[in-house]
Amino acid sequence: MKKARVQKGVLAFLLASGLLLSAFRSLPAEEGLIQRITRQLGEFYAAAKGEKVYLHLDRPVYATGETIWFSAYVVDASQHQLDSLSQVLHVDLLSADRKVVARRTLRLQGGRASGDLAIADSLAAGTYVLRAYTNWMRNAGDDYVYSRRLSIWLASPLGPQEMPAAAGSPATKTPGLAAATAKPDIQFFPEGGYLVEGLPAVVACKATDASGRSLAVRGQILNAQNAVVVSGFATRHAGMGRFAFVPGSGQRYRARLTLPNGSTAEYPLPAVQPTGYSLHVVETADNFLVEARYRGPAGAPAPGPVQLLTQVRGVVAYPGPRTLTGTSPAAWQMPKKNYPDGIVHFTLFDAEGSPKCERLAFVQNGPAALSVTIVADQPSYGPHAPVQLTVRVADAAGQPVATSLSVAVSDAGLAALDPNAETIASNLLLTSDLVGYVETPGYYFRNQTAATAQALDDLLLTQGWRRFVWKQVLAGQPPVVRFRPEQDITLTGQVVSVQGSQPIANSQLTFMQLRPTRSVTTGTTDGEGRFSFSGFPLRDTAVISLQARRAKGGSNVIIRPDDGPVPGPQLLPALPPLSAAPAGVAAFVRRSRQAQAADLELNPDKALRNIRLDNVAVTAKRVAVPANDPRRLYGATGGTVVDFASMPSAQVGLTVLQMLQGRVAGLTISGTPPNLSVQIRGVGSPLFILDGMRVDVDAINNIPSSDVESVEVFRGAQAAIFGGNGGAIAIYTKRADPNYRAPDAGPPPGIATVRVPGYYQAREFYQPRYNALLTNPPADPRTSTLYWNPTVRTNARGEAELHFFTADGSGSFRAVAEGVSATGQPATGTGTVVVKGK
């Protein structure tokens, strides 16, 4: 079993998959309390096999009509080594209204992938969310996926114009306005979790607007008698701060605060508990000093010994138990050197093994990341000049380290717009283990001072832990597995009742791939109504048609294909007008517009592809479902068409079979709903085809005519392709039409049509090669990003050489390298490339 470095009296274990479990099987029969808890935690980590994703981008700011270039790193959540558990990565760009506006599906190789996302001309300026995830990651919850906010400014010559909010319109119609006008969210977090009468307490505060952006507040803390308990309280970095006091018996406390707009508001503090435990952690240069206190009922005996357990991503350290007597605290000294870099999770257990208090802190032994130096071969360059960059990676001792990197060279002014943006170090060591949005994550690592250390501790007092909850671990409950590690592209989802509240177990599913190839298979949902199909041929975007029926028959179910994690409810902040944007944004937008306009002159076909038609009403009569429609699985045409979409009577209260009565010669429909029988004169009972899938009459008996686009009746030789000899009736529903848009309509019962994108083939970043013979080169579109290389590997000397040419313009460019070593250490570094004009 692997052990971490420990001080005498402190035990530490590495909870790596399989290692801890095999070691504990050899423990004596009398397993101690803390050993049992450690074993259970090890079993949980071994079963969870967590993953993390990080995306390195070519720059922090974008404009419409541009491209986001990214390099992906997928690592195991414990040791941060490049992971191969999952083989498929999903990357989405979400708009402010939580809609996916761009999506990529990438094949992972050794935990690495790269790609690009085109920002459509039609998108509006605003704050967007870039997220990335594997399906396996989602077992920990949808808020566990990688997420990053991006500012996208309006620059495309063909894009929409910026429109101000309508006068008098409700703020809720515009997410940015709603975030600005909503009441500030101000919360108070007692250290350890609780305020206990008579026990010294530290309380942290966090103030944000509705979009999660920090607010500066100040004020005082009052008790129930309006006496000031704490005066002069004010938040510090990112709307966070803290204060200390001793809660009184039977008291209630509230904060009276002055808000950024000058108004005042009151917010309650958490209730004071009459009895309980408290936990206090103080950081020194080399240790964490931990104190635990207890207050019990009057006259009650002292509690049994308490136990402290600490862990960082599965490296567990625990000292011996302590006894709490009177007002004297139990105290421990935990050396930082016993932990890897990252978030330390402190938990106080009572004598029965029940967790009583929890606290997070951050440990960093030396630099947070490997050092990457980037050196240009010249102090400056002219336009179209060759550039050589030498990249070196070394550890704290200066020794070379083999590392997988990505390198971007972009406008230094853009980097200045977001100097505290996240890095691979801030993500892997900090934000990937916390719940919710973290503002300016790079701040805590960029300049490490006493102030940043204090701000980081404030963050960990106010931000939620999301790796596990002790109740589940101590109960021996394994992590819930709803998603399997994808080895290939997978279509997953759930079958539920029509009301959507109850999963349908053992539902019979028919899977039909319509494009680009045709295939049919069947399956059954599990106990929670979930299904998964994989291994189907997929070279391009596939059109999949699904049909579901209950185990005992009946299609009164709803198929919910999985469309990725559910976006959180938090609003996104609006961008300011360009005239009020940070310095440098206007120049960036102007350069982007000029570059895109020049590109359109050279490639006029792009303008034709992007013409926007606004306020144009187009009317046309539907005569039949097109022959190439994916619902025409059998390829049959030539039947008698009944166009429901243009029939007013089809929109009121009748079923599809009732609407067909008397409308097709030779078609007889008799009986009363829902027991209708259908006959075609001279051939008998027909087959029924619903959106390309063969069904029986029960599946269509209750379909409302208002849900149907058209019906096609085939007789004689026309129906031979379907098999049988009684003809066929093909029903095409509106919702199964890939081009149908009905935001207020629910899904049709028993059927669903899904588009599944194939693996994306990443484009190559434009890299021209200039020479003296090229006297009149075309305009170079590289204005903001000069160079992008998503896959750089250092040699045995920890070095790599990169070559490219400068573009037309001049300025200072910032080279940024990020990556991870074979042992899981993050690596970051920057350099400078200066380009002077002619």
Side-chain angles (χ1 to χ4, degrees):
M1 176 176 59
K2 294 184 179 180
K3 294 185 178 181
R5 295 176 296 173
V6 296
Q7 183 181 347
K8 183 178 180 181
V10 178
L11 300 179
F13 301 98
L14 178 63
L15 304 183
S17 177
L19 297 177
L20 182 71
L21 300 183
S22 60
F24 272 110
R25 292 191 185 101
S26 62
L27 286 173
E30 293 296 326
E31 183 182 38
L33 173 66
I34 199 67
Q35 288 84 6
R36 173 181 60 81
I37 295 173
T38 305
R39 173 181 55 79
Q40 290 175 311
L41 182 58
E43 291 172 346
F44 187 90
Y45 266 101
K49 295 185 177 69
E51 293 179 327
K52 295 180 179 181
V53 173
Y54 175 74
L55 297 185
H56 177 203
L57 310 184
D58 64 309
R59 50 191 158 98
V61 180
Y62 297 90
T64 56
E66 293 189 333
T67 298
I68 301 170
W69 300 90
F70 62 86
S71 184
Y73 297 82
V74 181
V75 301
D76 76 273
S78 295
Q79 301 183 59
H80 294 165
Q81 294 176 335
L82 288 170
D83 179 56
S84 58
L85 183 64
S86 295
Q87 301 298 315
V88 181
L89 178 69
H90 306 274
V91 180
D92 301 336
L93 183 65
L94 279 72
S95 62
D97 56 358
R98 304 181 183 90
K99 293 182 179 179
V100 176
V101 296
R103 170 167 287 171
R104 296 288 183 257
T105 302
L106 304 170
R107 179 177 286 282
L108 288 164
Q109 294 184 344
R112 297 283 276 115
S114 61
D116 55 89
L117 283 165
I119 305 172
D121 297 325
S122 57
L123 293 181
T127 302
Y128 288 72
V129 171
L130 182 66
R131 70 182 185 188
Y133 56 93
T134 67
N135 262 1
W136 178 253
M137 287 174 60
R138 298 179 59 197
N139 290 311
D142 284 348
D143 63 349
Y144 181 70
V145 306
Y146 171 85
S147 178
R148 175 174 178 168
R149 294 183 179 183
L150 289 179
S151 296
I152 297 179
W153 298 86
L154 184 64
S156 170
L158 298 174
Q161 298 298 310
E162 291 180 292
M163 296 296 292
S169 61
T172 52
K173 291 184 179 180
T174 305
L177 291 177
T181 58
K183 183 181 179 182
D185 180 19
I186 301 177
Q187 300 184 57
F188 296 90
F189 304 87
E191 183 181 21
Y194 303 97
L195 294 176
V196 181
E197 290 181 4
L199 298 185
V202 172
V203 180
C205 171
K206 186 166 189 176
T208 65
D209 64 14
S211 67
R213 291 193 297 189
S214 61
L215 300 173
V217 300
R218 53 186 172 82
Q220 52 193 4
I221 308 301
L222 310 175
N223 64 14
Q225 290 75 40
N226 288 324
V228 176
V229 178
V230 177
S231 61
F233 164 73
T235 56
R236 297 177 292 220
H237 174 73
M240 298 178 294
R242 69 175 71 189
F243 56 87
F245 78 116
V246 178
S249 176
Q251 281 288 350
R252 294 183 179 180
Y253 297 92
R254 69 189 189 279
R256 180 176 293 163
L257 302 173
T258 300
L259 304 178
N261 63 3
S263 65
T264 60
E266 293 191 352
Y267 292 81
L269 268 64
V272 178
Q273 308 296 318
T275 63
Y277 293 83
S278 69
L279 185 67
H280 181 53
V281 178
V282 176
E283 181 181 359
T284 67
D286 300 317
N287 303 293
F288 291 108
L289 306 180
V290 185
E291 287 186 351
R293 298 176 185 268
Y294 174 75
R295 178 185 176 91
V306 291
Q307 179 73 63
L308 181 71
L309 185 143
T310 69
Q311 65 96 22
V312 179
R313 299 192 311 274
V315 176
V316 172
Y318 54 85
R322 301 286 193 272
T323 300
L324 290 167
T325 57
T327 59
S328 299
W332 298 271
Q333 178 175 289
M334 306 300 294
K336 294 180 178 179
K337 65 180 182 180
N338 289 341
Y339 306 102
D341 291 351
I343 296 175
V344 188
H345 182 200
F346 296 85
T347 306
L348 182 72
F349 290 89
D350 66 11
E352 284 72 42
S354 176
K356 293 301 180 182
C357 295
E358 295 183 67
R359 165 74 146 93
L360 302 182
F362 193 83
V363 61
Q364 184 175 329
N365 297 304
L370 297 171
S371 173
V372 182
T373 58
I374 306 174
V375 180
D377 63 331
Q378 300 290 336
S380 64
Y381 304 87
H384 303 172
V387 179
Q388 176 183 302
L389 296 183
T390 301
V391 180
R392 296 185 178 90
V393 183
D395 60 17
Q399 296 301 307
V401 181
T403 308
S404 178
L405 297 166
S406 44
V407 178
V409 181
S410 62
D411 183 355
L414 296 182
L417 294 175
D418 194 3
N420 296 315
E422 71 168 3
T423 66
I424 193 169
S426 68
N427 179 269
L428 296 184
L429 300 180
L430 181 66
T431 56
S432 60
D433 290 322
L434 296 175
V435 170
Y437 171 66
V438 176
E439 191 176 23
T440 64
Y443 168 83
Y444 306 103
F445 297 87
R446 192 162 62 97
N447 293 314
Q448 295 179 344
T449 64
T452 56
Q454 183 71 76
L456 179 54
D457 201 49
D458 289 343
L459 174 71
L460 295 176
L461 281 171
T462 59
Q463 205 82 19
W465 167 261
R466 67 175 176 183
R467 283 294 166 185
F468 60 83
V469 292
W470 280 114
K471 181 179 180 181
Q472 180 182 4
V473 172
L474 298 178
Q477 300 173 356
V480 176
V481 177
R482 296 173 55 209
F483 302 95
R484 300 292 177 182
E486 281 185 292
Q487 303 304 305
D488 212 331
I489 293 176
T490 304
L491 173 60
T492 60
Q494 190 178 31
V495 178
V496 298
S497 61
V498 173
Q499 295 76 21
S501 58
Q502 181 179 359
I504 306 299
N506 302 315
S507 174
Q508 305 299 311
L509 277 159
T510 301
F511 169 103
M512 306 181 74
Q513 181 175 346
L514 309 177
R515 292 179 181 174
T517 59
R518 296 189 176 187
S519 61
V520 180
T521 188
T522 59
T524 305
T525 61
D526 63 15
E528 295 185 352
R530 301 197 62 84
F531 62 85
S532 176
F533 291 98
S534 61
F536 47 91
L538 187 54
R539 296 186 302 272
D540 199 351
T541 298
V543 178
I544 308 296
S545 198
L546 298 170
Q547 177 190 355
R549 296 178 63 80
R550 294 175 180 267
K552 295 183 179 180
S555 59
N556 57 331
V557 297
I558 299 297
I559 303 174
R560 288 180 176 171
D562 187 4
D563 195 38
V566 178
Q570 191 172 66
L571 299 174
L572 296 175
L575 294 181
L578 196 57
S579 59
V585 170
F588 155 66
V589 171
R590 183 175 60 253
R591 290 195 305 271
S592 180
R593 284 176 176 168
Q594 291 171 349
Q596 292 185 54
D599 186 46
L600 289 177
E601 289 183 6
L602 292 173
N603 302 282
D605 59 312
K606 289 186 179 181
L608 295 176
R609 291 197 301 265
N610 288 281
I611 290 176
R612 295 172 53 84
L613 298 178
D614 295 324
N615 301 320
V616 176
V618 179
T619 59
K621 183 178 180 181
R622 295 172 179 262
V623 295
V625 173
N628 62 350
D629 190 284
R631 292 168 292 172
R632 286 188 176 276
L633 178 67
Y634 295 90
T637 59
T640 301
V641 175
V642 181
D643 183 15
F644 279 44
S646 61
M647 297 167 56
S649 58
Q651 313 309 315
V652 290
L654 298 177
T655 68
V656 60
L657 293 181
Q658 286 177 307
M659 278 300 300
L660 284 175
Q661 286 179 316
R663 297 185 182 276
V664 178
L667 179 66
T668 302
I669 299 174
S670 57
T672 57
N675 300 309
L676 295 173
S677 62
V678 182
Q679 296 284 322
I680 295 179
R681 185 172 58 237
V683 293
S685 299
L687 300 174
F688 293 93
I689 311 298
L690 180 61
D691 291 323
M693 293 181 292
R694 186 167 169 174
V695 298
D696 57 34
V697 68
D698 292 335
I700 64 169
N701 246 324
N702 295 314
I703 295 179
S705 59
S706 57
D707 287 348
V708 176
E709 181 179 36
S710 65
V711 174
E712 202 163 4
V713 180
F714 300 90
R715 286 171 292 190
Q718 297 173 340
I721 193 172
F722 299 104
N725 53 13
I729 297 177
I731 300 170
Y732 306 101
T733 64
K734 296 175 181 177
R735 294 180 184 89
D737 183 348
N739 299 315
Y740 181 68
R741 296 292 180 268
D744 298 328
I751 57 174
T753 301
V754 189
R755 290 181 177 271
V756 181
Y759 288 118
Y760 179 70
Q761 298 296 320
R763 295 181 292 162
E764 289 190 14
F765 185 81
Y766 179 66
Q767 293 289 343
R769 297 186 62 85
Y770 295 107
N771 58 62
L773 300 177
L774 193 61
T775 57
N776 189 25
D780 194 321
R782 297 173 300 152
T783 57
S784 297
T785 301
L786 194 60
Y787 176 75
W788 169 249
N789 191 331
T791 53
V792 177
R793 295 196 63 87
T794 60
N795 56 25
R797 300 187 304 276
E799 297 180 349
E801 284 189 358
L802 308 175
H803 300 267
F804 60 94
F805 285 81
T806 60
D808 298 342
S810 60
S812 179
F813 294 84
R814 186 169 181 253
V816 177
E818 293 192 284
V820 64
S821 71
T823 57
Q825 295 173 281
T828 61
T830 63
T832 301
V833 175
V834 177
V835 182
K836 296 183 177 180
K838 293 181 180 179

